[in-house]
Amino acid sequence: MATPETARDPLDVDDLPMEPMVLKMGPSHPTMHGVIELTLRLDGETVRAADVEIGYLHRGFEKMGEVSTWNQVFAYADRLNYNSPMLNELGYAMAVEKLMGVDVPERAQFLRVIASEISRICDHLTCVGAGAMELGAFTAFLYAVKAREFLYELLEKISGHRLTVNYMRVGGVWLDMPDGWDGAVRQALTDAAGVMREFHKLVTRHRIFFDRMEGVGIISQEDALAWGFTGPCLRSTGIDYDIRKAHPYSCYDRFDFDIPVGDKGDNYDRYLIRLEEIEQSRRIIEQAFDRMPGGPVVSSDPRVALPEKGPVYNTIESMMNHFKLVYDGIRVPPGAVYSFSEAANGELGFYIVADGTGKPYRVRVRGPVFAIMQALPQMLIGGMIADIVPTFDGINMIAGELDR
Amino acid sequence: MIRVREKYGDRMTALESSYLTETLKGLSITLRHFLENTLTRKNTVTLNYPEEKKPYPERFRGLHRLMKRDDGQVRCVACMCCATVCPAHCIKIEAGEHDDHRIEKFPIEFSIDWLRCVYCGLCVDACPCDAIRMDTGEHPKPQIDRNGFLTTKIDLMKLGGPSVAVQGGVRPDNGEG
Amino acid sequence: MSQAILERLKERYEDGVVETATERGDDCAVLKREILVDVCRFLKDDADFAMNLFVDVTAVDWLDRRTPRFDVVFQLKSITKRHRVTLKVRVDDGDDAWVPSVTGVWRGADWFERELWDMFGVRVDGHPNLRRILMWDGFEGHPLRKDYPVAGRQPLVPLRKSEVHVFENNPVDPFVVGLGVVREKSDGDA
Amino acid sequence: MAKLTINGKDVEAAAGTNLVEAAKQVGVEIPVFCYHPKLSIAAQCRMCLVEVEKMPKLVPACQTPVAEGMVVKTDSERVKTAQAGVMEFLLLNHPVDCPICDQAGECALQDYYMVYDLTGSRSTVGKVHKPKVQDIGGGVVLDSERCVMCSRCVRYFDEITGDAQMGFFNRGDRVEVSIFPDSPLHGEYCGNVVDLCPVGALTWKDFRFKCRVWFLEKAASVCPGCARGCNVTVEHNEGKVFRLKPRDNEAVNQCWMCDEGRASYKFVNEGRLLDPVVREEKKGVTTETLSSQRSEERKAYVKKEEAKAGSREPHTRKAVVVTWERALAVAAEQLVKVVATKGGAAIGVVLSPQATLEDNRAVVRFAADHLGVTAFYMGGRLDGEGDAFLRLADKNPNRAGVLAALEMGAVARGLAARTADDVVADVESGKLSALIVMGNNLPVSPDARARLVSAAARLDAVIVMASNRSELVDAATVALPSATFAEKEGTFVNAMGMHQKLRRGIALVGRALPETQIVQKLAAKMGFDFRPAREASAASPATAAPGAH
């Protein structure tokens, strides 16, 4: 890493005055994972100051939530962190269920965890793959995308869509897994693991990659905490904080998995953590399939879940129940809760307020990346302009959950 | 807790930092893939689109269709459940009185704006008559202008087929009197 | 554990704590605005509580339903102690719509407080850089207020020719920024 | 007064109060189908069964008067079982009709099911079927299958209108509510049975299938149909009014409304004058230029005009849709000319008892103070039928308001409203050379109206502020679109002298404006300093009390 001291020779300055330069990077620079704008003040190639301007992808999620029914919000929640829609849905569903006090059936919990972990793997694959590509390893990126493709197909099989899944509902999930899905998941995970081994061989120990990741974008433990880091970025500084372990939710307490942590808080740590978390997610999924209980996949509470179609077509009782849920929505009792879960980038929090009607009074999303992005200038300053790319990737900014 | 640096290695070994071994290792992987893909296509994951197409899975939510009654009339009774539940407000229905008293109500017009639709499938969940489905397995085709995506009842019914579900208003025991 | 926080706060601040409640497992203390920063500093520094992670701040607009109008809601968490607490401050509309900044306690509150201002028009007193964050400069109104219409329209913004960019983390030298690369405005030679 | 407890809450109620009403006082809802406060007690739906201490059986709350020391439970297991049982019976033969039933969304069965039942069907046999979609007259459609036999409609005709028109027929599960053979519903108050029906057995033909009720937004308003001023809610969606429903007001209409009133919203949606129109002295047909009409309305209008053009000679004045700016400039110019040459006495102002008190007052003050007008006439609609119950012969909701507005504007000037027939006479005699008309038409005979229209062609200015198209609008030199009662805030003063507030429902249709604003703009155009909203009465509900003006 180029430190300010080595970046320029004081002797040169005398006869060649350095000219500070302001560079606008973005709002749609190719390496910007979403639309944001960096304003950099450069001293040669060294970043002296940086500002982040966000909000380009603000779609008014919270405002839309206030005019949607509780179940309609899932369609918007999908589009927060669009790399891992299942994790957003899980976070939102848990918040509503916490406020309502609904019990979610076992099998639905397991399906949620499996779907979420597949989403987490997808997210990490995108992050490490894109990171490799931005450092020039295009082949490696294609391998990661290939592995992700196997998983997207699984999501498509269970939910109907790859990205805009809309799979979860308050009180459970949309449908049980299709026949043979578990076998397909195990197969796909094995295939993906094979691809990832190759990916690993291609980049992890390659010196070009190593040199550009190692020691770049360092953040200390204290700083990370002060800025409100969570997720892989916090763990890269050596803190083993993972909400799945610290505050187990859904059925995570039943699975055996490890939390990877780094030492230095640099990009290489973040890369390795993501690589390792893919492995751990695989472990969770395999255990979940081994212990998958039977039973329904959505709550049997008629105030929460739509009744089955057969009775709806044929009996007035279910028909009325169906109608009330459709036009009135789920009636969530008045109150407010904050519910949080471990999304791919850290703590995804939902603070929801209900006023007893079928629509949320307020839906607040605390996206993990929002807190992390504020520290980006600190992680960039002092580094080279080329270091922006791996650091930015290591944060894994997703404009969807940053701007909401 | 796993310390990733312990597991994956912290520093470059002398061999690794020579570029050579790692580059050769990488090249061997890509070369193997290159040969495999050109000679056998056994492990190739790409398709020669559009000659080869991958079928959508069974649950894929594609274009909507309106199901029909046994006599070919539209199944929908314009109850507006789908229009109510749609988060994108893309369904517009105009209800009217049907001549047949056993049907009573039917949609004079039923249009979906496929550009506004987010393909969430809530309308299918919300339909109490098995009238709207998204199981065509097709995605919207490109159109020259926006109006091309505004689909009417006729188009939606063309995609539709007979429904096997027994519907509320008309039950097997629904004789006269 | 977090029940203990509420007890401790009540004991320590007496009248400053307006009320405490535990709702569906969430422990919440409603504070008077004056003691907010003090409470935050105490919760962060106290070894028993060690609220080292600032999670979130947002507001709820109770237009026409309650007075004061806004609940400003803080979520705090301790990573070491694995517990958390919700703090609320009630502020009213107009001149009263302000809270003190807690950026002095947790730096990470910075953007969250800017968002609070941007979305609700609740000013954050003592914030180092209180600008809009998700909306653009020149946006009229505060979108998450209940009286802002869902389909609200905004006037067009005039095309910006160039502007002086003041770096937040290095505000000494302003620079003129336009399209692409623009040189320093000041006549200095750096 | 009797003291009792309901669900552990102390209640104090007057002797004779029944338990349903007593429970309401403490916010306890007892479900009812057959009970209605304005009807006699039937106690036949059994939905309101409650447990009273020391009574061996559950008792119907609607039929049980309060007594000192009573201990009532409405949420005990026994009561819940009874409620669920009643629901199960009621639903046993209920058709699976929610998708096609207009009541869905405001149906007592649906609402109660979610609270008091929530169990699936246990029936293994088919349902009993009865005739559906029967047009029983009076604008009411009956579906016998959906009926829960609460007899509210039967009792309504027995007790409120006094002409028994409905009854129960057959026995057991074949029982049906219906009209008597060959005697369809008649009378002017049939719509109330639709409101009374707790389920979808009786639906209102005019509203059927037009809009789902859960889409409707509601605004408290006053019926514009007659001088009674029945309190109503304007139910609207996306800028269209779909129905008027009565609102409780013991002093005016209790909870009833006449059928004529129910239909009195129609002019809000149909045949509206959408843009300011200026008529110029040119040969040509009026139709082509009215371009901004809604397409279907425009087609109908063109058709009508073409027919007219075939039978009569084309209008000599050409109508042009113009901007507000232009229309007001033309109106101002014409008025200024008349005032300058002939004085204010040559201008006649027709006030509208269809418009609000505020609008009339603004027009009176503008005309009297700034133009020097002394001739004010009462516009509105011709008298119609009245009866002893609600309907009054005066079909204008605000006649008293016009008089009040004149009185206020007439301080020390002795203004009075003359009849609309005087307008025709004064125009024909040449006493007036300009007219300012509020409202769509004049309450005169068709013959007199035709005379006025032909005489109006000779006038220097005919400025009409109207919400709908009419002959008078077609004869105007300047037609300004005004807002209807559903689009503005204001006050109606009914025949009893009660000031009643209107709340705004839909957004302004087309480019229409409330008359107050039109006059304000017109005055500004003419260079007057005119502020009609001095009292700002529309702003705060505190001024809604009678006598506040």
Side-chain angles (χ1 to χ4, degrees):
Chain A
M1 188 186 86
T3 60
E5 286 69 34
T6 56
R8 59 178 162 153
D9 187 346
L11 289 174
D12 289 339
V13 177
D14 289 334
D15 39 50
L16 252 182
M18 295 293 282
E19 203 168 275
M21 178 189 267
V22 171
L23 183 68
K24 287 270 190 192
M25 202 169 172
S28 54
H29 191 276
T31 61
M32 296 286 145
H33 289 208
V35 191
I36 73 153
E37 180 184 339
L38 285 180
T39 309
L40 305 163
R41 187 176 143 208
L42 301 173
D43 185 357
E45 280 207 60
T46 311
V47 179
R48 290 283 174 218
D51 264 358
V52 186
E53 178 71 34
I54 67 167
Y56 292 93
L57 201 67
H58 180 69
R59 296 150 298 169
F61 172 87
E62 296 175 17
K63 193 79 179 174
M64 289 307 293
E66 292 172 16
V67 293
S68 308
T69 59
W70 292 97
N71 264 333
Q72 282 177 352
V73 177
F74 280 104
Y76 299 116
D78 274 346
R79 290 148 174 88
L80 288 172
N81 182 343
Y82 32 70
N83 277 338
S84 47
M86 291 288 188
L87 290 163
N88 311 324
E89 290 194 356
L90 178 61
Y92 172 71
M94 278 170 31
V96 182
E97 284 151 11
K98 183 175 172 188
L99 189 51
M100 290 191 80
V102 177
D103 287 328
V104 182
E106 285 273 278
R107 193 175 173 83
Q109 300 273 26
F110 273 72
L111 283 170
R112 281 177 172 190
V113 165
I114 292 167
S116 302
E117 291 305 322
I118 292 175
S119 251
R120 191 188 309 278
I121 298 176
C122 290
D123 194 290
H124 287 343
L125 282 175
T126 316
C127 179
V128 296
M133 176 185 69
E134 282 151 12
L135 299 181
F138 196 77
T139 309
F141 167 69
L142 290 179
Y143 285 12
V145 167
K146 180 165 107 184
R148 190 181 73 166
E149 186 59 32
F150 297 150
L151 302 170
Y152 270 173
E153 275 175 22
L154 298 173
L155 292 181
E156 196 181 19
K157 272 190 188 132
I158 193 170
S159 76
H161 278 217
R162 297 150 60 91
L163 233 63
T164 51
V165 288
N166 199 27
Y167 179 58
M168 292 185 200
R169 301 282 188 271
V170 178
V173 296
W174 179 41
L175 290 173
D176 202 348
M177 59 183 189
D179 289 341
W181 193 66
D182 50 346
V185 174
R186 287 176 200 260
Q187 183 59 46
L189 286 174
T190 317
D191 292 349
V195 178
M196 283 316 286
R197 265 197 301 281
E198 291 175 341
F199 178 91
H200 176 59
K201 273 188 203 156
L202 279 176
V203 296
T204 312
R205 301 305 292 171
H206 200 287
R207 194 174 154 189
I208 300 175
F209 184 77
F210 184 84
D211 282 357
R212 295 202 54 187
M213 298 291 269
E214 154 70 30
V216 174
I218 291 181
I219 190 133
S220 71
Q221 226 174 66
E222 296 73 41
D223 281 343
L225 270 177
W227 283 115
F229 276 37
T230 44
C233 292
L234 180 66
R235 291 194 280 275
S236 72
T237 64
I239 298 175
D240 65 331
Y241 183 73
D242 186 318
I243 298 165
R244 291 175 294 175
K245 284 267 190 211
H247 305 271
Y249 56 91
S250 199
C251 52
Y252 276 111
D253 48 347
R254 298 190 218 167
F255 305 125
D256 186 24
F257 61 99
D258 294 306
I259 308 172
V261 296
D263 291 313
K264 286 168 91 171
D266 61 357
N267 288 332
Y268 196 58
D269 273 339
R270 290 190 273 274
Y271 164 74
L272 292 179
I273 284 171
R274 290 211 166 83
L275 220 51
E276 183 57 31
E277 278 191 13
I278 293 173
E279 275 307 298
Q280 298 302 329
S281 291
R282 201 159 74 94
R283 276 176 72 191
I284 295 174
I285 294 170
E286 273 166 7
Q287 290 172 54
F289 275 125
D290 290 342
R291 300 178 200 168
M292 175 89 89
V297 295
V298 70
S299 165
S300 55
D301 188 340
R303 281 163 304 173
V304 173
L306 286 177
E308 278 175 40
K309 287 284 182 184
V312 168
Y313 299 149
N314 292 307
T315 70
I316 181 64
E317 286 84 354
S318 297
M319 176 64 91
M320 293 199 309
N321 189 347
H322 180 93
F323 254 72
K324 285 295 274 186
L325 286 182
V326 167
Y327 72 78
D328 252 5
I330 299 166
R331 294 275 177 146
V332 177
V337 288
Y338 178 76
S339 162
F340 52 103
S341 57
E342 179 80 20
N345 288 325
E347 171 163 343
L348 176 72
F350 280 91
Y351 179 70
I352 59 172
V353 182
D355 61 352
T357 62
K359 290 175 179 176
Y361 190 74
R362 172 113 175 79
V363 188
R364 157 75 182 168
V365 193
R366 187 261 185 211
V369 155
F370 191 72
I372 299 171
M373 276 300 285
Q374 13 177 14
L376 183 65
Q378 188 184 343
M379 292 159 85
L380 297 180
I381 288 170
M384 303 278 281
I385 195 166
D387 293 340
I388 294 171
V389 175
T391 307
F392 192 73
D393 179 73
I395 287 177
N396 192 23
M397 188 211 82
I398 308 289
E401 69 178 4
L402 179 71
D403 294 343
R404 284 153 287 147
Chain B
M1 194 166 85
I2 296 178
R3 294 220 160 262
V4 285
R5 282 191 187 250
E6 283 165 19
K7 180 167 173 184
Y8 291 94
D10 192 7
R11 282 166 207 290
M12 300 253 103
T13 60
L15 209 56
E16 280 168 346
S17 51
S18 72
Y19 287 106
L20 198 64
T21 51
E22 286 296 314
T23 308
L24 286 177
K25 228 195 258 176
L27 276 176
S28 74
I29 292 171
T30 48
L31 191 68
R32 188 166 51 83
H33 276 281
F34 170 71
L35 291 174
E36 255 179 33
N37 290 346
T38 35
L39 299 179
T40 68
R41 284 186 62 82
K42 201 174 70 193
N43 294 325
T44 319
V45 290
T46 48
L47 291 175
N48 291 323
Y49 190 85
E51 287 80 19
E52 291 175 87
K53 278 180 187 160
K54 202 164 197 175
Y56 283 122
E58 207 177 309
R59 290 185 183 178
F60 176 75
R61 298 187 294 270
L63 297 184
H64 313 70
R65 58 191 188 131
L66 283 177
M67 307 305 283
K68 296 174 187 167
R69 293 168 192 267
D70 296 343
D71 58 358
Q73 290 190 67
V74 68
R75 237 188 137 66
C76 171
V77 293
C79 72
M80 310 276 176
C81 281
C82 51
T84 307
V85 86
C86 177
H89 306 293
C90 69
I91 306 178
K92 292 270 175 296
I93 306 172
E94 192 189 324
E97 186 127 21
H98 200 281
D99 296 335
D100 185 348
H101 282 182
R102 282 169 307 179
I103 297 175
E104 205 172 329
K105 193 181 177 191
F106 80 112
I108 296 172
E109 188 46 271
F110 190 114
S111 71
I112 297 180
D113 188 343
W114 278 338
L115 275 186
R116 292 195 81 165
C117 178
V118 295
Y119 299 93
C120 64
L122 288 180
C123 52
V124 182
D125 277 8
C127 183
C129 303
D130 189 30
I132 188 168
R133 289 196 193 169
M134 295 177 80
D135 56 358
T136 48
E138 285 177 42
H139 52 257
K141 310 250 173 333
Q143 303 283 348
I144 292 171
D145 62 2
R146 281 164 178 262
N147 290 334
F149 291 94
L150 203 66
T151 322
T152 59
K153 185 173 97 173
I154 308 294
D155 300 330
L156 291 166
M157 279 178 71
K158 271 184 202 150
L159 292 166
S163 166
V164 288
V166 178
Q167 184 185 339
V170 184
R171 291 159 50 87
D173 58 339
N174 190 18
E176 285 300 304
Chain C
M1 178 61 206
S2 29
Q3 285 283 348
I5 301 174
L6 302 184
E7 292 308 315
R8 183 73 191 278
L9 285 179
K10 270 196 277 193
E11 188 183 303
R12 198 179 142 103
Y13 292 95
E14 293 171 355
D15 289 350
V17 180
V18 182
E19 65 179 83
T20 58
T22 301
E23 184 182 16
R24 296 176 176 91
D26 285 6
D27 300 300
C28 172
V30 182
L31 306 176
K32 282 191 179 155
R33 180 162 49 200
E34 300 79 56
I35 62 162
L36 175 70
V37 178
D38 203 37
V39 169
C40 288
R41 198 172 297 282
F42 164 69
L43 287 177
K44 188 191 177 194
D45 293 343
D46 190 278
D48 289 343
F49 302 139
M51 290 288 178
N52 46 8
L53 187 73
F54 177 86
V55 178
D56 189 23
V57 59
T58 187
V60 181
D61 181 1
W62 293 105
L63 179 71
D64 296 337
R65 297 195 187 209
R66 289 183 198 172
T67 41
R69 180 173 169 179
F70 297 103
D71 280 355
V72 180
V73 188
F74 295 81
Q75 309 288 349
L76 308 177
K77 195 184 229 176
S78 169
I79 278 183
T80 39
K81 301 281 179 190
R82 316 243 139 136
H83 60 205
R84 51 183 216 90
V85 73
T86 306
L87 301 181
K88 268 187 201 170
V89 175
R90 296 191 174 137
V91 304
D92 208 354
D93 207 357
D95 286 345
D96 192 52
W98 67 274
V99 286
S101 173
V102 296
T103 42
V105 188
W106 300 278
R107 240 183 303 169
D110 186 335
W111 277 18
F112 290 94
E113 290 180 344
R114 275 175 68 187
E115 196 190 344
L116 180 68
W117 158 246
D118 190 4
M119 293 288 144
F120 286 94
V122 175
R123 291 183 311 282
V124 185
D125 207 39
H127 190 282
N129 177 39
L130 195 63
R131 295 187 289 128
R132 287 191 177 274
I133 181 162
L134 294 177
M135 297 295 143
W136 57 96
D137 296 331
F139 186 91
E140 288 177 6
H142 299 279
L144 282 181
R145 286 185 170 212
K146 287 280 175 186
D147 49 8
Y148 188 90
V150 176
R153 296 218 165 248
Q154 287 288 324
L156 294 173
V157 212
L159 181 68
R160 277 177 289 184
K161 289 278 190 302
S162 66
E163 66 192 80
V164 175
H165 192 95
V166 183
F167 283 94
E168 284 164 41
N169 44 33
N170 188 358
V172 249
D173 309 327
F175 287 84
V176 176
V177 176
L179 296 174
V181 182
V182 173
R183 303 237 161 122
E184 191 181 9
K185 180 188 161 200
S186 62
D187 49 5
D189 55 2
Chain D
M1 295 300 268
K3 281 184 186 164
L4 64 158
T5 62
I6 297 176
N7 290 356
K9 293 174 187 165
D10 291 328
V11 189
E12 204 169 310
T17 315
N18 64 46
L19 288 179
V20 176
E21 296 295 330
K24 252 182 221 166
Q25 290 178 18
V26 284
V28 174
E29 196 208 353
I30 296 176
V32 291
F33 286 106
C34 72
Y35 171 73
H36 191 274
K38 295 286 170 210
L39 301 175
S40 64
I41 306 289
Q44 61 191 39
C45 73
R46 313 313 276 182
M47 192 65 200
C48 65
L49 289 177
V50 293
E51 194 174 343
V52 177
E53 232 168 61
K54 294 184 191 134
M55 287 201 191
K57 287 180 19 177
L58 299 180
V59 294
C62 66
Q63 209 182 23
T64 312
V66 293
E68 190 65 36
M70 227 181 203
V71 180
V72 184
K73 276 192 204 134
T74 74
D75 52 0
S76 67
E77 275 313 305
R78 272 177 82 197
V79 174
K80 280 183 184 162
T81 316
Q83 285 165 338
V86 171
M87 284 302 294
E88 187 164 13
F89 269 127
L90 288 177
L91 295 177
L92 196 58
N93 282 322
H94 198 90
V96 192
D97 264 3
C98 296
I100 54 172
C101 177
D102 247 11
Q103 192 81 2
E106 52 183 9
C107 174
L109 276 173
Q110 281 185 347
D111 295 346
Y112 291 162
Y113 175 80
M114 289 307 278
V115 185
Y116 303 107
D117 192 355
L118 279 179
T119 51
S121 170
R122 291 191 291 169
S123 167
T124 52
V125 294
K127 298 195 181 226
V128 175
H129 292 290
K130 295 174 191 169
K132 296 176 81 70
V133 206
Q134 309 164 66
D135 187 348
I136 57 170
V140 179
V141 178
L142 167 69
D143 187 313
S144 297
E145 283 188 343
R146 297 179 194 156
C147 179
V148 292
M149 312 303 154
C150 71
S151 82
R152 278 185 185 184
C153 51
V154 177
R155 281 176 286 150
Y156 169 78
F157 282 118
D158 287 354
E159 298 160 13
I160 305 295
T161 64
D163 50 344
Q165 295 193 45
M166 293 182 82
F168 280 126
F169 301 88
N170 299 335
R171 291 286 173 91
D173 63 5
R174 289 175 188 277
V175 67
E176 260 179 58
V177 72
S178 193
I179 49 172
F180 297 105
D182 299 326
S183 168
L185 293 188
H186 48 87
E188 295 302 325
Y189 298 93
C190 296
N192 290 325
V193 290
V194 177
D195 293 345
L196 282 175
C197 185
V199 295
L202 298 172
T203 47
W204 190 232
K205 216 170 170 182
D206 178 49
F207 179 66
R208 256 167 86 85
F209 308 154
K210 294 285 190 303
C211 185
R212 276 303 199 180
V213 293
W214 58 81
F215 291 126
L216 292 176
E217 289 169 59
K218 300 182 167 93
S221 187
V222 175
C223 175
C226 80
R228 169 76 61 177
C230 292
N231 289 208
V232 297
T233 45
V234 172
E235 307 204 348
H236 61 96
N237 179 35
E238 291 177 354
K240 227 179 136 187
V241 178
F242 282 93
R243 63 177 179 185
L244 302 184
K245 277 217 153 199
R247 199 151 51 90
D248 290 1
N249 186 336
E250 208 49 43
V252 182
N253 57 321
Q254 298 176 345
C255 59
W256 315 118
M257 189 176 172
C258 69
D259 297 350
E260 203 180 320
R262 278 175 204 271
S264 63
Y265 69 88
K266 299 211 163 176
F267 75 101
V268 179
N269 300 336
E270 295 160 10
R272 287 295 294 272
L273 179 65
L274 298 170
D275 306 279
V277 174
V278 167
R279 221 164 283 269
E280 287 162 0
E281 297 281 349
K282 276 175 198 163
K283 282 220 172 224
V285 186
T286 55
T287 53
E288 289 310 308
T289 44
L290 292 169
S291 54
S292 63
Q293 294 276 338
R294 288 183 190 152
S295 58
E296 68 267 32
E297 272 177 33
R298 188 173 159 221
K299 265 183 223 154
Y301 182 74
V302 167
K303 223 176 182 179
K304 206 179 94 194
E305 287 293 305
E306 278 167 356
K308 235 197 270 174
S311 61
R312 278 195 273 139
E313 58 188 79
H315 287 251
T316 49
R317 287 171 168 173
K318 185 181 179 186
V320 187
V321 171
V322 293
T323 59
W324 268 108
E325 199 63 12
R326 168 97 182 110
L328 291 169
V330 172
E333 188 191 327
Q334 289 175 352
L335 285 177
V336 167
K337 207 167 144 194
V338 172
V339 173
T341 55
K342 295 168 187 162
I347 301 176
V349 173
V350 181
L351 300 172
S352 172
Q354 300 276 321
T356 62
L357 173 65
E358 289 79 0
D359 289 333
N360 278 302
R361 195 172 52 204
V363 173
V364 168
R365 289 191 47 224
F366 165 71
D369 293 355
H370 296 296
L371 302 181
V373 173
T374 51
F376 288 92
Y377 304 89
M378 181 70 82
R381 280 192 298 214
L382 277 172
D383 279 4
E385 279 175 42
D387 60 34
F389 186 23
L390 292 177
R391 295 194 306 151
L392 296 181
D394 180 5
K395 294 299 170 199
N396 298 298
N398 198 27
R399 185 181 297 271
V402 173
L403 296 175
L406 261 179
E407 233 164 69
M408 274 182 281
V411 180
R413 273 198 300 263
L415 301 179
R418 298 157 68 198
T419 66
D421 289 318
D422 295 339
V423 186
V424 186
D426 289 350
V427 168
E428 284 187 324
S429 70
K431 195 178 153 202
L432 297 179
S433 27
L435 267 183
I436 299 175
V437 182
M438 282 173 85
N440 305 327
N441 245 322
L442 292 179
V444 292
S445 65
D447 172 49
R449 191 175 300 148
R451 287 202 329 260
L452 176 72
V453 167
S454 63
R458 295 196 303 270
L459 295 181
D460 295 333
V462 181
I463 292 156
V464 179
M465 291 178 262
S467 58
N468 291 56
R469 304 197 55 87
S470 66
E471 292 156 291
L472 203 59
V473 171
D474 290 345
T477 55
V478 181
L480 305 170
S482 66
T484 61
F485 77 104
E487 298 151 63
K488 60 188 174 192
E489 308 245 314
T491 312
F492 278 169
V493 186
N494 72 0
M496 287 85 86
M498 298 164 77
H499 289 236
Q500 303 193 95
K501 274 275 167 225
L502 309 176
R503 291 268 166 246
R504 186 179 178 154
I506 56 175
L508 291 166
V509 174
R511 286 195 279 158
L513 289 175
E515 283 93 340
T516 314
Q517 281 185 39
I518 298 176
V519 169
Q520 203 169 0
K521 282 170 190 274
L522 186 57
K525 233 343 159 273
M526 295 173 80
F528 301 131
D529 178 27
F530 178 70
R531 291 190 203 88
R534 191 185 54 195
E535 290 86 352
S537 57
S540 81
T543 57
H549 297 284

